[in-house]
Amino acid sequence: MKNRMNLAARHLAAAWLLLLAGCGQGTAQGGLPLRIEISHVVGEAPLRLGDSYKTGAGDSWSAERLRYYLSNFRLRRADSTWFVNPQSADSSRGYFLVDEADAASKQFQIGPIPEGTYSGIEFLVGVDTARNGAGAQTGTLDPARGMFWTWNTGYIFFQFEGHSPQSSDGEHALTYHTGGGADSPARSVFLQFQTPVQVTADNSAELHLYADLSRLFDGAHALRPATMPTAMDPKASAEVADNSAGLFRIDHIHKLPKAGLAQGR
Amino acid sequence: MTAHSTPRLQVPEGWPAPRYDFAGNPVTSAGFALGRRLFYDPILSRDGSVACGSCHQQFAAFAHLDHRVSHGIGGVNGKRNTPGLFNLAWQPELMWDGSVHHLELQPVAPMSNPVEMGGSLALAVDKLRRDARYPELFAEAFGSPGVDSQRLLRALAQFTGTLVSADSRYDRFVEGKEAFTPQERDGLDLFRERCASCHREPLFTDFSYRNNGLDAAPRDAGRAVISGRDEDRGRFRVPSLRNIALTAPYMHDGRYDSLEQVLDHYSGGVQPSPTLDPSLAGGVPLSPDQRSALLIFLDTLTDESFIHDRRFAETHD
């Protein structure tokens, strides 16, 4: 079970960040990594695989499997320039495969981040077109991980599998996959920091992101299991992709001293 | 294995630049030999019964002779006709509907198709890791120990990507090395006039997706499955016509057994439909003389040295 920060702690963290926000700007390319932790929730409660939830329209749903790629992280500086998280053509560095069933996959680091003040974070839910169209990959992008379509070659960007009594599919299955190359269903997400984040030689930060699965159904599009039990083809998966981008919010950010980073992953 | 027995991707004169870039996967003799071995090894299928080479036969220019649609594991039929394999490095996309956009990733499709090889990439990698011989061959091919899916797919691409067919009678005619008979010449002229807008020289395809009028209401949606666009219903990749005399049956579903039937289709059988290519509306009328000239011309596209090239054979030197 994840230990979530209460409201007071959140304010404390924010105050701490404010304090740091006046420090000098580092020039070194090195720097500390930024840690990102992801929790899957439904509203405010932690998502539990197999539990039943209700949508705004009154449909019931449960999740059995939730996996997706996050990539192309960027941090926005106070002066509107960007720090672009390095990715490498020879490895899957910078491409993260988040899996609800794998705790380790929900905590990762980007960077190293140059010292400076940052006002927000951007990332892609999915894999960029260039990488999606490149050849055989390794690591998190190894097609043998099963996040890969063979009938329409390319990565599965977002994979939600569960059940809904309203679904007309066999065993009331609910299958939402996005992927495919032609009109990319990768979606960009930008999250503004409530208070700027300061990265110094001695301190970095941990971003705790919440991905709220209720917004998969009650998002930019209202998805009804009765009319859309399956989304796999490019047209249907575009709506799921739009909604997948709306899942994320920053729950809190806290200070992460250099010493704390060393003991983490 | 000597260096000279390893093919390299050479771009024939007058051909466009290849789409597959071997710079990221340099062909070596050990890599090519590994790719060839894998291509002919049923270890890549779930129960060890079907190899790539079971469906893609060299004597048929790597198509599947006499099989309308593919015939895979457990004798189950697939839904599409097995195409010949050659000049794949030039293809921007693969498969009849262009569903595969990269040569290296193509094998994932048959390996995990329940009616083809019935397994999965992960399963194949696992079997290769536990095999007595393969770990050593992978180390030789890639310079360090390790069997993974990237190396498996790159080795296969070293084989499939170097299958170049560019030595037909037609090629030797174009190079000025051989003369055409008057009838072959008539056939070529007619082909350029009626067929080459889609089957464009020198690869004999413009790589577009078109509906050539097989059905008024296509059963297989073809390109539309991939693009999600209605205007792509019943459209399929324009296939190359190189080695066409060897790759019967014809069309995405293998409906025609002979080239005569194909010409019957173009001259009198084109079905109107909303996505029919406008250039084929009304068909392509052909007199008996024109038909025989076209057939004789299509025969000049057979590349005997390709289908007898020992380097591509299951049992090589």
Side-chain angles (χ1 to χ4, degrees), chain B residues 60-206:
Chain B
F62 293 99
H64 201 179
L65 189 69
D66 285 343
H67 284 74
R68 256 183 229 295
V69 289
S70 65
H71 191 78
I73 193 165
V76 187
N77 282 338
K79 67 174 184 169
R80 300 224 176 111
N81 180 15
T82 308
L85 304 183
F86 45 82
N87 306 336
L88 296 168
W90 279 268
Q91 273 184 216
E93 282 129 7
L94 299 121
M95 312 301 237
W96 283 101
D97 53 10
S99 57
V100 174
H101 56 45
H102 199 286
L103 181 59
E104 284 173 11
L105 294 166
Q106 189 283 332
V108 189
M111 282 165 66
S112 39
N113 189 331
V115 298
E116 291 187 343
M117 301 171 91
S120 75
L121 188 56
L123 183 73
V125 169
D126 195 49
K127 286 212 263 175
L128 293 169
R129 278 186 185 142
R130 288 186 282 108
D131 187 77
R133 195 80 183 87
Y134 275 110
E136 191 187 320
L137 297 173
F138 272 74
E140 243 171 73
F142 294 100
S144 63
V147 176
D148 63 19
S149 75
Q150 187 183 51
R151 289 177 163 192
L152 161 61
L153 296 171
R154 286 188 172 170
L156 278 168
Q158 290 195 23
F159 178 74
T160 55
T162 50
L163 295 168
V164 176
S165 174
D167 190 27
S168 64
R169 215 169 117 58
Y170 158 83
D171 294 297
R172 292 194 295 275
F173 165 74
V174 169
E175 290 160 18
K177 290 182 189 155
E178 271 178 34
F180 264 3
T181 65
Q183 211 181 11
E184 285 169 340
R185 183 71 240 202
D186 287 351
L188 172 61
D189 291 343
L190 196 61
F191 182 85
R192 286 180 169 158
E193 188 185 306
R194 309 278 175 87
C195 318
S197 58
C198 299
H199 300 284
R200 188 194 295 156
E201 296 165 75
L203 288 147
F204 288 85
T205 166
D206 66 352

Side-chain angles (χ1 to χ4, degrees), chain A residues 74-92:
Chain A
R74 300 203 296 171
L75 289 176
R76 194 179 156 93
R77 295 195 182 89
D79 65 2
S80 300
T81 61
W82 294 90
F83 161 73
V84 179
N85 188 48
Q87 301 188 154
S88 147
D90 305 329
S91 74
S92 62

Side-chain angles (χ1 to χ4, degrees), chain B residues 211-217 251 255-256 259-273 276-277 280-286 291:
Chain B
N211 178 344
N212 70 342
L214 295 177
D215 299 297
M251 304 300 171
R255 66 177 63 190
Y256 300 132
L259 289 171
E260 284 82 354
Q261 288 174 330
V262 171
L263 293 190
D264 286 345
H265 161 72
Y266 280 113
S267 58
V270 171
Q271 302 297 312
S273 73
L276 172 65
D277 197 90
L280 288 174
V284 183
L286 296 167
R291 289 172 62 105

